[in-house]
Amino acid sequence: MSTTSQKHRNFVAEPMGEKAITDLAGIGDVLGKRLESKGFDKAYVVLGQFLLLKKNKDLFVEWIKDLAGANTKQSADCYQCLSDWCDEFL
């Protein structure tokens, strides 16, 4: 079983609401600004893309790497955060 960060646990612990993009695990200030500049300004917008990609890990990881320049760990952390949130709330 993999361990998760406090940021991940905090995100998954409550409904999405208007959470900032940087509340997502794996997304810090630099990636957050890159995503915001492409129109992904809230966590729920990234969730929408995650769902459009049918929760597919490979597609999501490649998408966020290509769009924002995320590395493998950042993209995997963000994927897992959204996947766990969906398991909890959808």
Side-chain angles (χ1 to χ4, degrees):
M1 179 177 208
S2 64
T3 59
T4 57
S5 67
Q6 186 62 49
K7 189 174 182 181
H8 175 109
R9 291 187 297 275
N10 289 347
F11 189 88
V12 173
E14 59 190 22
M16 185 77 59
E18 293 286 324
K19 289 183 182 184
I21 190 78
T22 53
D23 287 348
L24 284 163
I27 307 299
D29 291 335
V30 173
L31 282 180
K33 289 197 185 321
R34 289 181 193 159
L35 286 164
E36 286 174 1
S37 75
K38 305 281 186 177
F40 293 87
D41 58 339
K42 296 284 185 183
Y44 68 80
V45 182
V46 177
L47 173 66
Q49 183 66 29
F50 174 81
L51 295 173
L52 283 171
L53 295 172
K54 299 182 178 181
K55 303 182 195 176
N56 180 289
K57 184 174 184 174
D58 292 336
L59 292 176
F60 181 81
V61 164
E62 286 306 310
W63 169 78
I64 203 161
K65 283 180 175 181
D66 290 345
L67 185 76
N71 66 32
T72 301
K73 181 178 183 342
Q74 291 165 327
S75 56
D77 286 352
C78 187
Y79 167 84
Q80 195 59 56
C81 185
L82 288 169
S83 180
D84 291 350
W85 186 90
C86 286
D87 289 346
E88 185 69 28
F89 291 99
L90 293 185

